[in-house]
Amino acid sequence: QKEVEQDPGPLSVPEGAIVSLNCTYSNSAFQYFMWYRQYSRKGPELLMYTYSSGNKEDGRFTAQVDKSSKYISLFIRDSQPSDSATYLCAMSASLKAAGNKLTFGGGTRVLVKP
Amino acid sequence: DGGITQSPKYLFRKEGQNVTLSCEQNLNHDAMYWYRQDPGQGLRLIYYSQIVNDFQKGDIAEGYSVSREKKESFPLTVTSAQKNPTAFYLCASSIFHRGNTEAFFGQGTRLTVV
């Protein structure tokens, strides 16, 4: 079983709809949670991060963490065709420990249709 | 412009041949990483380095080697011992900032065995 599970999609939505993405994980030591966006043939870029449980909002993006369920979510409101990309969740147990290693999910491909 | 530069963008390797992927950063980050990305499997950590002249194996280090002689540079060599090297390789560097480790990625190198 992978440490971080993420549905590969593709997830196809009409423009303006809410995109809902999620990841589940098995390592209870994870405390830092991130979402990256990756366009085709490009490197990932950081979208949002949260620490421990709770919600965080940034513009059209909302990240949620439920540590009790080992479940994180990313919501994209008023989706645009430019949001079409692969979204990767990433997690870390400790940011200051050796390696600051991030464990990634497999990514969900999202397609927003005009 | 500050950032991470990977070269070449595309690389073809013959069976039994070693190849080296370049990664250079001018962000003054201490930590650097190499990831491998295969379809549906997300990013898997190959090697990482916290400081110059020091590096550690990641989850899939077999068949790869690295060096960190300069802070700015972290080249990855894919050796003939790597049996399935065709993949998208991503280099990243990170800084601890605003309570989070933010990893910045290069644009990747696509390696194909011919």
mmCIF file of all heavy atoms in Angstrom, chain B residues 48-92:
data_model
loop_
_atom_site.group_PDB
_atom_site.id
_atom_site.type_symbol
_atom_site.label_atom_id
_atom_site.label_comp_id
_atom_site.label_asym_id
_atom_site.label_seq_id
_atom_site.Cartn_x
_atom_site.Cartn_y
_atom_site.Cartn_z
ATOM 1 N N TYR B 48 18.837 13.056 -2.269
ATOM 2 C CA TYR B 48 18.718 14.421 -1.808
ATOM 3 C C TYR B 48 19.990 14.851 -1.098
ATOM 4 O O TYR B 48 20.766 14.008 -0.618
ATOM 5 C CB TYR B 48 17.490 14.609 -0.909
ATOM 6 C CG TYR B 48 17.499 13.816 0.371
ATOM 7 C CD1 TYR B 48 17.929 14.387 1.561
ATOM 8 C CD2 TYR B 48 17.039 12.495 0.402
ATOM 9 C CE1 TYR B 48 17.923 13.659 2.740
ATOM 10 C CE2 TYR B 48 17.029 11.771 1.574
ATOM 11 C CZ TYR B 48 17.470 12.352 2.744
ATOM 12 O OH TYR B 48 17.466 11.630 3.908
ATOM 13 N N SER B 49 20.174 16.154 -1.031
ATOM 14 C CA SER B 49 21.387 16.715 -0.429
ATOM 15 C C SER B 49 20.998 17.911 0.409
ATOM 16 O O SER B 49 20.302 18.809 -0.053
ATOM 17 C CB SER B 49 22.370 17.130 -1.523
ATOM 18 O OG SER B 49 23.431 17.887 -0.986
ATOM 19 N N GLN B 50 21.443 17.898 1.650
ATOM 20 C CA GLN B 50 21.143 19.018 2.550
ATOM 21 C C GLN B 50 22.204 20.106 2.482
ATOM 22 O O GLN B 50 21.912 21.275 2.691
ATOM 23 C CB GLN B 50 21.055 18.509 3.998
ATOM 24 C CG GLN B 50 19.831 17.672 4.291
ATOM 25 C CD GLN B 50 18.594 18.519 4.396
ATOM 26 O OE1 GLN B 50 17.979 18.867 3.380
ATOM 27 N NE2 GLN B 50 18.190 18.863 5.596
ATOM 28 N N ILE B 51 23.445 19.687 2.271
ATOM 29 C CA ILE B 51 24.549 20.644 2.219
ATOM 30 C C ILE B 51 25.581 20.157 1.214
ATOM 31 O O ILE B 51 25.543 19.003 0.773
ATOM 32 C CB ILE B 51 25.226 20.823 3.593
ATOM 33 C CG1 ILE B 51 25.705 19.455 4.129
ATOM 34 C CG2 ILE B 51 24.295 21.492 4.590
ATOM 35 C CD1 ILE B 51 26.534 19.571 5.383
ATOM 36 N N VAL B 52 26.504 21.025 0.889
ATOM 37 C CA VAL B 52 27.572 20.675 -0.049
ATOM 38 C C VAL B 52 28.374 19.496 0.489
ATOM 39 O O VAL B 52 28.594 19.374 1.691
ATOM 40 C CB VAL B 52 28.487 21.891 -0.280
ATOM 41 C CG1 VAL B 52 29.685 21.525 -1.152
ATOM 42 C CG2 VAL B 52 27.701 23.020 -0.938
ATOM 43 N N ASN B 53 28.771 18.623 -0.440
ATOM 44 C CA ASN B 53 29.590 17.442 -0.129
ATOM 45 C C ASN B 53 28.878 16.420 0.744
ATOM 46 O O ASN B 53 29.534 15.567 1.363
ATOM 47 C CB ASN B 53 30.919 17.841 0.529
ATOM 48 C CG ASN B 53 31.822 18.597 -0.426
ATOM 49 O OD1 ASN B 53 31.884 18.289 -1.616
ATOM 50 N ND2 ASN B 53 32.513 19.598 0.099
ATOM 51 N N ASP B 54 27.567 16.475 0.784
ATOM 52 C CA ASP B 54 26.794 15.498 1.537
ATOM 53 C C ASP B 54 25.503 15.192 0.794
ATOM 54 O O ASP B 54 24.841 16.107 0.284
ATOM 55 C CB ASP B 54 26.474 16.018 2.938
ATOM 56 C CG ASP B 54 25.810 14.950 3.782
ATOM 57 O OD1 ASP B 54 26.358 13.838 3.892
ATOM 58 O OD2 ASP B 54 24.724 15.227 4.322
ATOM 59 N N PHE B 55 25.158 13.910 0.701
ATOM 60 C CA PHE B 55 23.897 13.523 0.080
ATOM 61 C C PHE B 55 23.456 12.175 0.640
ATOM 62 O O PHE B 55 24.264 11.412 1.168
ATOM 63 C CB PHE B 55 24.016 13.466 -1.450
ATOM 64 C CG PHE B 55 25.205 12.703 -1.971
ATOM 65 C CD1 PHE B 55 25.164 11.317 -2.094
ATOM 66 C CD2 PHE B 55 26.363 13.373 -2.349
ATOM 67 C CE1 PHE B 55 26.256 10.624 -2.578
ATOM 68 C CE2 PHE B 55 27.457 12.676 -2.830
ATOM 69 C CZ PHE B 55 27.414 11.301 -2.950
ATOM 70 N N GLN B 56 22.148 11.920 0.530
ATOM 71 C CA GLN B 56 21.569 10.670 1.044
ATOM 72 C C GLN B 56 20.702 10.014 -0.009
ATOM 73 O O GLN B 56 20.115 10.699 -0.861
ATOM 74 C CB GLN B 56 20.705 10.940 2.286
ATOM 75 C CG GLN B 56 21.479 11.221 3.554
ATOM 76 C CD GLN B 56 21.965 12.644 3.637
ATOM 77 O OE1 GLN B 56 21.237 13.551 3.273
ATOM 78 N NE2 GLN B 56 23.184 12.836 4.090
ATOM 79 N N LYS B 57 20.597 8.707 0.086
ATOM 80 C CA LYS B 57 19.725 7.973 -0.811
ATOM 81 C C LYS B 57 18.269 8.240 -0.458
ATOM 82 O O LYS B 57 17.904 8.346 0.709
ATOM 83 C CB LYS B 57 20.000 6.470 -0.708
ATOM 84 C CG LYS B 57 21.369 6.058 -1.231
ATOM 85 C CD LYS B 57 21.559 4.548 -1.110
ATOM 86 C CE LYS B 57 22.919 4.143 -1.655
ATOM 87 N NZ LYS B 57 23.123 2.677 -1.550
ATOM 88 N N GLY B 58 17.468 8.304 -1.507
ATOM 89 C CA GLY B 58 16.032 8.383 -1.323
ATOM 90 C C GLY B 58 15.427 6.998 -1.396
ATOM 91 O O GLY B 58 16.060 6.006 -1.048
ATOM 92 N N ASP B 59 14.206 6.931 -1.920
ATOM 93 C CA ASP B 59 13.486 5.658 -1.933
ATOM 94 C C ASP B 59 13.873 4.740 -3.081
ATOM 95 O O ASP B 59 13.671 3.534 -3.019
ATOM 96 C CB ASP B 59 11.975 5.936 -1.998
ATOM 97 C CG ASP B 59 11.508 6.774 -0.815
ATOM 98 O OD1 ASP B 59 11.952 6.494 0.323
ATOM 99 O OD2 ASP B 59 10.724 7.715 -1.026
ATOM 100 N N ILE B 60 14.435 5.313 -4.165
ATOM 101 C CA ILE B 60 14.737 4.491 -5.354
ATOM 102 C C ILE B 60 16.121 4.823 -5.892
ATOM 103 O O ILE B 60 16.298 5.117 -7.067
ATOM 104 C CB ILE B 60 13.655 4.673 -6.443
ATOM 105 C CG1 ILE B 60 13.469 6.151 -6.805
ATOM 106 C CG2 ILE B 60 12.315 4.083 -6.008
ATOM 107 C CD1 ILE B 60 12.709 6.371 -8.095
ATOM 108 N N ALA B 61 17.136 4.757 -5.058
ATOM 109 C CA ALA B 61 18.490 5.202 -5.438
ATOM 110 C C ALA B 61 19.259 4.206 -6.305
ATOM 111 O O ALA B 61 20.244 4.579 -6.948
ATOM 112 C CB ALA B 61 19.289 5.501 -4.174
ATOM 113 N N GLU B 62 18.838 2.962 -6.332
ATOM 114 C CA GLU B 62 19.600 1.954 -7.064
ATOM 115 C C GLU B 62 19.710 2.285 -8.543
ATOM 116 O O GLU B 62 18.716 2.557 -9.212
ATOM 117 C CB GLU B 62 18.947 0.568 -6.899
ATOM 118 C CG GLU B 62 19.770 -0.550 -7.508
ATOM 119 C CD GLU B 62 19.179 -1.921 -7.226
ATOM 120 O OE1 GLU B 62 18.225 -2.019 -6.428
ATOM 121 O OE2 GLU B 62 19.664 -2.897 -7.827
ATOM 122 N N GLY B 63 20.963 2.259 -9.046
ATOM 123 C CA GLY B 63 21.179 2.550 -10.457
ATOM 124 C C GLY B 63 21.427 4.021 -10.754
ATOM 125 O O GLY B 63 21.595 4.403 -11.907
ATOM 126 N N TYR B 64 21.466 4.836 -9.693
ATOM 127 C CA TYR B 64 21.710 6.269 -9.834
ATOM 128 C C TYR B 64 22.884 6.691 -8.955
ATOM 129 O O TYR B 64 23.177 6.048 -7.958
ATOM 130 C CB TYR B 64 20.478 7.072 -9.410
ATOM 131 C CG TYR B 64 19.220 6.800 -10.182
ATOM 132 C CD1 TYR B 64 18.255 5.920 -9.690
ATOM 133 C CD2 TYR B 64 18.982 7.434 -11.399
ATOM 134 C CE1 TYR B 64 17.091 5.672 -10.395
ATOM 135 C CE2 TYR B 64 17.806 7.194 -12.114
ATOM 136 C CZ TYR B 64 16.872 6.311 -11.603
ATOM 137 O OH TYR B 64 15.716 6.071 -12.313
ATOM 138 N N SER B 65 23.530 7.793 -9.341
ATOM 139 C CA SER B 65 24.550 8.384 -8.475
ATOM 140 C C SER B 65 24.479 9.897 -8.610
ATOM 141 O O SER B 65 24.001 10.426 -9.616
ATOM 142 C CB SER B 65 25.955 7.881 -8.840
ATOM 143 O OG SER B 65 26.326 8.325 -10.127
ATOM 144 N N VAL B 66 24.937 10.599 -7.560
ATOM 145 C CA VAL B 66 24.915 12.057 -7.550
ATOM 146 C C VAL B 66 26.212 12.573 -6.971
ATOM 147 O O VAL B 66 27.006 11.832 -6.387
ATOM 148 C CB VAL B 66 23.736 12.618 -6.723
ATOM 149 C CG1 VAL B 66 22.392 12.294 -7.359
ATOM 150 C CG2 VAL B 66 23.812 12.108 -5.283
ATOM 151 N N SER B 67 26.412 13.881 -7.111
ATOM 152 C CA SER B 67 27.509 14.577 -6.447
ATOM 153 C C SER B 67 27.007 15.957 -6.068
ATOM 154 O O SER B 67 26.062 16.478 -6.664
ATOM 155 C CB SER B 67 28.734 14.669 -7.355
ATOM 156 O OG SER B 67 28.448 15.427 -8.510
ATOM 157 N N ARG B 68 27.628 16.538 -5.041
ATOM 158 C CA ARG B 68 27.254 17.897 -4.633
ATOM 159 C C ARG B 68 28.540 18.633 -4.250
ATOM 160 O O ARG B 68 28.832 18.886 -3.089
ATOM 161 C CB ARG B 68 26.295 17.847 -3.436
ATOM 162 C CG ARG B 68 25.721 19.210 -3.074
ATOM 163 C CD ARG B 68 24.548 19.602 -3.859
ATOM 164 N NE ARG B 68 24.098 20.956 -3.643
ATOM 165 C CZ ARG B 68 23.296 21.359 -2.650
ATOM 166 N NH1 ARG B 68 22.919 20.503 -1.724
ATOM 167 N NH2 ARG B 68 22.902 22.601 -2.579
ATOM 168 N N GLU B 69 29.295 18.990 -5.270
ATOM 169 C CA GLU B 69 30.568 19.669 -5.051
ATOM 170 C C GLU B 69 30.387 21.167 -4.880
ATOM 171 O O GLU B 69 31.248 21.848 -4.313
ATOM 172 C CB GLU B 69 31.519 19.356 -6.201
ATOM 173 C CG GLU B 69 31.863 17.872 -6.311
ATOM 174 C CD GLU B 69 32.753 17.571 -7.510
ATOM 175 O OE1 GLU B 69 33.107 18.518 -8.236
ATOM 176 O OE2 GLU B 69 33.068 16.399 -7.717
ATOM 177 N N LYS B 70 29.284 21.677 -5.404
ATOM 178 C CA LYS B 70 28.983 23.102 -5.274
ATOM 179 C C LYS B 70 27.552 23.265 -4.809
ATOM 180 O O LYS B 70 26.686 22.443 -5.125
ATOM 181 C CB LYS B 70 29.153 23.815 -6.616
ATOM 182 C CG LYS B 70 30.531 23.772 -7.196
ATOM 183 C CD LYS B 70 30.620 24.651 -8.444
ATOM 184 C CE LYS B 70 29.661 24.183 -9.511
ATOM 185 N NZ LYS B 70 29.757 25.010 -10.744
ATOM 186 N N LYS B 71 27.274 24.330 -4.103
ATOM 187 C CA LYS B 71 25.926 24.575 -3.594
ATOM 188 C C LYS B 71 24.933 24.686 -4.743
ATOM 189 O O LYS B 71 23.783 24.284 -4.631
ATOM 190 C CB LYS B 71 25.912 25.865 -2.778
ATOM 191 C CG LYS B 71 24.624 26.134 -2.031
ATOM 192 C CD LYS B 71 24.771 27.378 -1.167
ATOM 193 C CE LYS B 71 23.534 27.582 -0.315
ATOM 194 N NZ LYS B 71 23.683 28.778 0.572
ATOM 195 N N GLU B 72 25.384 25.242 -5.869
ATOM 196 C CA GLU B 72 24.469 25.527 -6.965
ATOM 197 C C GLU B 72 24.153 24.316 -7.834
ATOM 198 O O GLU B 72 23.237 24.355 -8.633
ATOM 199 C CB GLU B 72 25.072 26.606 -7.868
ATOM 200 C CG GLU B 72 25.409 27.913 -7.178
ATOM 201 C CD GLU B 72 26.708 27.859 -6.388
ATOM 202 O OE1 GLU B 72 27.535 26.954 -6.654
ATOM 203 O OE2 GLU B 72 26.885 28.699 -5.493
ATOM 204 N N SER B 73 24.930 23.263 -7.725
ATOM 205 C CA SER B 73 24.854 22.185 -8.703
ATOM 206 C C SER B 73 24.629 20.821 -8.058
ATOM 207 O O SER B 73 25.265 20.498 -7.050
ATOM 208 C CB SER B 73 26.158 22.165 -9.502
ATOM 209 O OG SER B 73 26.155 21.137 -10.452
ATOM 210 N N PHE B 74 23.767 20.017 -8.662
ATOM 211 C CA PHE B 74 23.454 18.684 -8.121
ATOM 212 C C PHE B 74 23.187 17.743 -9.301
ATOM 213 O O PHE B 74 22.048 17.367 -9.570
ATOM 214 C CB PHE B 74 22.235 18.788 -7.201
ATOM 215 C CG PHE B 74 21.970 17.558 -6.368
ATOM 216 C CD1 PHE B 74 22.997 16.852 -5.768
ATOM 217 C CD2 PHE B 74 20.660 17.140 -6.137
ATOM 218 C CE1 PHE B 74 22.741 15.741 -4.969
ATOM 219 C CE2 PHE B 74 20.388 16.023 -5.338
ATOM 220 C CZ PHE B 74 21.429 15.333 -4.757
ATOM 221 N N PRO B 75 24.220 17.335 -10.031
ATOM 222 C CA PRO B 75 24.011 16.472 -11.194
ATOM 223 C C PRO B 75 23.649 15.037 -10.810
ATOM 224 O O PRO B 75 24.118 14.518 -9.797
ATOM 225 C CB PRO B 75 25.372 16.516 -11.906
ATOM 226 C CG PRO B 75 26.350 16.851 -10.824
ATOM 227 C CD PRO B 75 25.627 17.723 -9.852
ATOM 228 N N LEU B 76 22.829 14.437 -11.649
ATOM 229 C CA LEU B 76 22.387 13.048 -11.458
ATOM 230 C C LEU B 76 22.907 12.190 -12.602
ATOM 231 O O LEU B 76 22.713 12.542 -13.771
ATOM 232 C CB LEU B 76 20.857 12.977 -11.449
ATOM 233 C CG LEU B 76 20.229 11.585 -11.423
ATOM 234 C CD1 LEU B 76 20.387 10.948 -10.041
ATOM 235 C CD2 LEU B 76 18.755 11.647 -11.809
ATOM 236 N N THR B 77 23.573 11.107 -12.282
ATOM 237 C CA THR B 77 24.023 10.162 -13.297
ATOM 238 C C THR B 77 23.143 8.928 -13.261
ATOM 239 O O THR B 77 22.959 8.315 -12.191
ATOM 240 C CB THR B 77 25.490 9.764 -13.078
ATOM 241 O OG1 THR B 77 26.313 10.916 -13.243
ATOM 242 C CG2 THR B 77 25.928 8.710 -14.107
ATOM 243 N N VAL B 78 22.587 8.600 -14.413
ATOM 244 C CA VAL B 78 21.795 7.385 -14.560
ATOM 245 C C VAL B 78 22.737 6.333 -15.128
ATOM 246 O O VAL B 78 23.222 6.474 -16.261
ATOM 247 C CB VAL B 78 20.589 7.609 -15.495
ATOM 248 C CG1 VAL B 78 19.734 6.357 -15.561
ATOM 249 C CG2 VAL B 78 19.779 8.814 -15.035
ATOM 250 N N THR B 79 23.026 5.327 -14.357
ATOM 251 C CA THR B 79 24.018 4.340 -14.780
ATOM 252 C C THR B 79 23.361 3.183 -15.524
ATOM 253 O O THR B 79 22.132 3.038 -15.532
ATOM 254 C CB THR B 79 24.800 3.793 -13.577
ATOM 255 O OG1 THR B 79 23.946 2.881 -12.848
ATOM 256 C CG2 THR B 79 25.257 4.909 -12.655
ATOM 257 N N SER B 80 24.198 2.353 -16.105
ATOM 258 C CA SER B 80 23.700 1.183 -16.838
ATOM 259 C C SER B 80 23.036 0.174 -15.905
ATOM 260 O O SER B 80 22.320 -0.714 -16.345
ATOM 261 C CB SER B 80 24.843 0.515 -17.600
ATOM 262 O OG SER B 80 25.882 0.156 -16.713
ATOM 263 N N ALA B 81 23.256 0.328 -14.607
ATOM 264 C CA ALA B 81 22.627 -0.570 -13.633
ATOM 265 C C ALA B 81 21.147 -0.261 -13.427
ATOM 266 O O ALA B 81 20.413 -1.099 -12.886
ATOM 267 C CB ALA B 81 23.353 -0.469 -12.290
ATOM 268 N N GLN B 82 20.709 0.887 -13.889
ATOM 269 C CA GLN B 82 19.287 1.240 -13.783
ATOM 270 C C GLN B 82 18.575 0.566 -14.942
ATOM 271 O O GLN B 82 18.746 0.939 -16.104
ATOM 272 C CB GLN B 82 19.107 2.759 -13.821
ATOM 273 C CG GLN B 82 17.671 3.248 -13.931
ATOM 274 C CD GLN B 82 16.703 2.630 -12.951
ATOM 275 O OE1 GLN B 82 15.738 1.980 -13.353
ATOM 276 N NE2 GLN B 82 16.973 2.796 -11.676
ATOM 277 N N LYS B 83 17.765 -0.424 -14.636
ATOM 278 C CA LYS B 83 17.177 -1.284 -15.667
ATOM 279 C C LYS B 83 16.016 -0.671 -16.419
ATOM 280 O O LYS B 83 15.682 -1.089 -17.519
ATOM 281 C CB LYS B 83 16.718 -2.610 -15.024
ATOM 282 C CG LYS B 83 17.868 -3.395 -14.401
ATOM 283 C CD LYS B 83 18.980 -3.648 -15.400
ATOM 284 C CE LYS B 83 20.146 -4.382 -14.769
ATOM 285 N NZ LYS B 83 21.327 -4.443 -15.694
ATOM 286 N N ASN B 84 15.370 0.297 -15.826
ATOM 287 C CA ASN B 84 14.212 0.921 -16.476
ATOM 288 C C ASN B 84 14.304 2.436 -16.340
ATOM 289 O O ASN B 84 13.534 3.040 -15.594
ATOM 290 C CB ASN B 84 12.919 0.388 -15.841
ATOM 291 C CG ASN B 84 11.686 0.913 -16.549
ATOM 292 O OD1 ASN B 84 11.746 1.276 -17.713
ATOM 293 N ND2 ASN B 84 10.582 0.956 -15.845
ATOM 294 N N PRO B 85 15.233 3.065 -17.035
ATOM 295 C CA PRO B 85 15.487 4.477 -16.809
ATOM 296 C C PRO B 85 14.559 5.436 -17.531
ATOM 297 O O PRO B 85 14.576 6.628 -17.240
ATOM 298 C CB PRO B 85 16.919 4.648 -17.327
ATOM 299 C CG PRO B 85 17.036 3.617 -18.402
ATOM 300 C CD PRO B 85 16.207 2.453 -17.946
ATOM 301 N N THR B 86 13.759 4.958 -18.453
ATOM 302 C CA THR B 86 12.879 5.862 -19.203
ATOM 303 C C THR B 86 11.872 6.486 -18.253
ATOM 304 O O THR B 86 11.051 5.788 -17.651
ATOM 305 C CB THR B 86 12.152 5.103 -20.318
ATOM 306 O OG1 THR B 86 13.119 4.650 -21.276
ATOM 307 C CG2 THR B 86 11.136 5.994 -21.002
ATOM 308 N N ALA B 87 11.924 7.808 -18.092
ATOM 309 C CA ALA B 87 11.062 8.511 -17.149
ATOM 310 C C ALA B 87 11.291 10.004 -17.298
ATOM 311 O O ALA B 87 12.161 10.460 -18.048
ATOM 312 C CB ALA B 87 11.359 8.081 -15.705
ATOM 313 N N PHE B 88 10.510 10.761 -16.548
ATOM 314 C CA PHE B 88 10.642 12.218 -16.458
ATOM 315 C C PHE B 88 11.356 12.500 -15.142
ATOM 316 O O PHE B 88 10.898 12.079 -14.079
ATOM 317 C CB PHE B 88 9.243 12.833 -16.489
ATOM 318 C CG PHE B 88 9.214 14.322 -16.634
ATOM 319 C CD1 PHE B 88 9.972 14.963 -17.595
ATOM 320 C CD2 PHE B 88 8.396 15.093 -15.820
ATOM 321 C CE1 PHE B 88 9.935 16.341 -17.752
ATOM 322 C CE2 PHE B 88 8.344 16.480 -15.962
ATOM 323 C CZ PHE B 88 9.114 17.097 -16.931
ATOM 324 N N TYR B 89 12.507 13.187 -15.212
ATOM 325 C CA TYR B 89 13.307 13.441 -14.021
ATOM 326 C C TYR B 89 13.190 14.909 -13.618
ATOM 327 O O TYR B 89 13.384 15.817 -14.436
ATOM 328 C CB TYR B 89 14.772 13.078 -14.277
ATOM 329 C CG TYR B 89 14.976 11.590 -14.413
ATOM 330 C CD1 TYR B 89 14.822 10.963 -15.642
ATOM 331 C CD2 TYR B 89 15.291 10.809 -13.298
ATOM 332 C CE1 TYR B 89 14.986 9.588 -15.765
ATOM 333 C CE2 TYR B 89 15.461 9.445 -13.412
ATOM 334 C CZ TYR B 89 15.306 8.835 -14.653
ATOM 335 O OH TYR B 89 15.459 7.474 -14.760
ATOM 336 N N LEU B 90 12.894 15.127 -12.348
ATOM 337 C CA LEU B 90 12.708 16.474 -11.829
ATOM 338 C C LEU B 90 13.708 16.772 -10.725
ATOM 339 O O LEU B 90 13.896 15.975 -9.812
ATOM 340 C CB LEU B 90 11.292 16.644 -11.279
ATOM 341 C CG LEU B 90 10.192 16.750 -12.333
ATOM 342 C CD1 LEU B 90 8.843 16.413 -11.720
ATOM 343 C CD2 LEU B 90 10.172 18.141 -12.930
ATOM 344 N N CYS B 91 14.331 17.916 -10.828
ATOM 345 C CA CYS B 91 15.238 18.400 -9.797
ATOM 346 C C CYS B 91 14.517 19.492 -9.020
ATOM 347 O O CYS B 91 13.719 20.252 -9.581
ATOM 348 C CB CYS B 91 16.503 18.953 -10.451
ATOM 349 S SG CYS B 91 17.704 19.646 -9.304
ATOM 350 N N ALA B 92 14.773 19.559 -7.732
ATOM 351 C CA ALA B 92 14.143 20.580 -6.900
ATOM 352 C C ALA B 92 15.135 21.094 -5.869
ATOM 353 O O ALA B 92 16.105 20.413 -5.525
ATOM 354 C CB ALA B 92 12.909 20.016 -6.202
#
